[in-house]
Amino acid sequence: MWRACFEHLLGWDFAKQRSSDVGGLFGRIRAFYGSSEYTERGSLHGHYLIWLEGACNPSDMHIKLRDEAFRQRFFSFFEHIIHHHLPDIEVDIDPKFEPRVERPPRPPLHMLDSEPPSDVVNEWLSTFTSQIKQCGEVLQRHTCRAVCHKYGNDSVCRFLFPHDIVDESTFDADTNSVIFKCVDGTVNYFNPVILVCCRHNHDLRCILSGKSAKAAMFYISDYITKMDTKTYEMLSLLSRAVSRIPFNHVAESPSSAARTLLHKCLSQFTRQQQIHAQQAARYLRGLGDGIPSHATVPMLSSLLISSVKESMRVRCADDDASDDEEPIRGRKMHV
């Protein structure tokens, strides 16, 4: 499904590994990277970073936003592709309505004509707007539940709902803050076409600062590296592994006993690890957990630090301290 979304809605040509000539909903894409995570029901829960062609870095963008004409075009573009409110229409929604198990409506064939009849266009726009309202109420409107108040957030929603109401998108030149329009504080950021065609909840954000980019990077990294086993499950597995170790360690050295304990714990974790069939299929096909637009090379932080030291001829001030005794980030380094 994600390939169909990127190919037909976002205009990505997988054969040529570049954006199509006409682009997609967001214009022409330069690259993207996503992480594949699966919910307990086995459905894909992905996180994607998308780079657009012609996009400026945050510093240049903040300079351009000081120009009123550019600022109007900028906000017009993003308010068109990212919505924070649902259509103000009355629609009867069946309590049993589940958009994720239904196909999206098909536009009439006359919509493909160069000049389709006005009555056909109006009827399709009415149908599409009703679908936005129905799908949005079910998928995009946030209702606080018990999960919203985990980790000590007893009085507030940890997902920061409801959002502050903003009548008009603005740019603060003093703080370089970009504030987008928000009409409904309980609706998540979404794209109407993606919502109706894909029929799943999603959250779209525009990253316009180094702080936002860093937050997105850490957020996606946490999802990639987080353990599927809960803490209480881990403790239960460790307790079960320890209980299976025999107590006759008279002739066994402490190092051998520690090795046996570690082996038992790892074996217990391996036996209890569960993955979904979709995830197993990706591994068997050699696809891994990442969904990149281009081939990527894994880079470990220790190798990166070593490469920087070697290229910059960096020498640590304290040569006697070992890596285990003092973390690299705590060392004073000079060229």
Side-chain angles (χ1 to χ4, degrees), residues 18 35 46-47 65 78-79 92 102-103 106 112 129 136 138 146 166 171 173 194 196 215 249 260 286 293-294 308 333:
R18 63 177 178 84
S35 63
H47 298 82
L65 284 173
F78 279 104
E79 289 177 2
D92 293 331
E102 296 183 1
R103 291 183 178 273
R106 299 184 62 178
L112 301 177
T129 303
V138 176
V166 180
F171 170 70
I194 295 179
V196 174
H249 294 300
T260 302
S293 58
H294 301 77
V308 172
M333 308 173 70

Side-chain angles (χ1 to χ4, degrees), residues 305 316 321-333:
I305 295 175
C316 295
S322 63
D323 291 343
D324 295 333
E325 295 175 352
E326 183 181 3
I328 293 178
R329 63 183 179 185
R331 292 182 177 179
K332 296 181 179 180
M333 308 173 70

Side-chain angles (χ1 to χ4, degrees), residues 1 21 51 68 84 89 98 135 146 156 167 177 201 203 211 222 224 231 245 251-252 315:
M1 179 179 177
D21 295 334
W51 290 265
E68 183 177 356
H84 204 301
I89 59 175
E98 178 49 73
C135 295
V156 296
D167 297 328
S177 300
N201 63 305
D203 183 10
K211 182 179 180 180
D222 287 342
I224 296 175
T231 303
I245 299 178
E252 192 173 11
R315 180 172 57 86

Side-chain angles (χ1 to χ4, degrees), residues 301-314 333:
S301 58
S302 59
L303 296 179
L304 175 61
I305 295 175
S306 299
S307 177
V308 172
K309 286 182 179 180
E310 182 178 357
S311 61
M312 301 299 293
R313 298 180 182 178
V314 176
M333 308 173 70

Side-chain angles (χ1 to χ4, degrees), residues 167-316:
D167 297 328
E168 184 180 5
S169 299
T170 58
F171 170 70
D172 189 341
D174 296 331
T175 61
N176 289 330
S177 300
V178 180
I179 304 173
F180 287 102
K181 179 179 179 180
C182 174
V183 180
D184 193 331
T186 60
V187 174
N188 227 353
Y189 293 95
F190 72 98
N191 178 271
V193 179
I194 295 179
L195 175 63
V196 174
C197 294
C198 297
R199 311 184 81 76
H200 277 276
N201 63 305
H202 59 280
D203 183 10
L204 289 177
R205 298 297 177 94
C206 178
I207 299 176
L208 291 173
S209 67
K211 182 179 180 180
S212 299
K214 187 184 299 182
M217 179 185 65
F218 281 121
Y219 184 76
I220 294 178
S221 299
D222 287 342
Y223 265 99
I224 296 175
T225 58
K226 76 174 186 178
M227 294 185 63
D228 296 330
T229 308
K230 306 295 189 299
T231 303
Y232 68 89
E233 296 175 339
M234 187 185 309
L235 294 176
S236 176
L237 293 175
L238 290 175
S239 175
R240 193 180 307 172
V242 173
S243 63
R244 293 181 178 179
I245 299 178
F247 291 96
N248 52 346
H249 294 300
V250 180
E252 192 173 11
S253 63
S255 59
S256 298
R259 190 181 300 109
T260 302
L261 176 60
L262 180 60
H263 176 74
K264 291 287 185 181
C265 292
L266 292 177
S267 299
Q268 192 68 28
F269 278 127
T270 304
R271 285 197 297 267
Q272 296 296 328
Q273 187 176 9
Q274 298 178 356
I275 61 175
H276 294 285
Q278 298 89 328
Q279 192 173 3
R282 286 189 58 86
Y283 293 155
L284 292 175
R285 296 172 60 193
L287 298 178
D289 294 320
I291 304 177
S293 58
H294 301 77
T296 58
V297 178
M299 180 175 290
L300 301 179
S301 58
S302 59
L303 296 179
L304 175 61
I305 295 175
S306 299
S307 177
V308 172
K309 286 182 179 180
E310 182 178 357
S311 61
M312 301 299 293
R313 298 180 182 178
V314 176
R315 180 172 57 86
C316 295

Side-chain angles (χ1 to χ4, degrees), residues 2 24 91-92 98 122 125-126 132 135 146 149 157 179 222 225 298 331:
W2 72 268
V91 177
D92 293 331
E98 178 49 73
N122 293 334
L125 290 179
S126 176
I132 296 175
C135 295
H149 303 289
C157 175
I179 304 173
D222 287 342
T225 58
R331 292 182 177 179

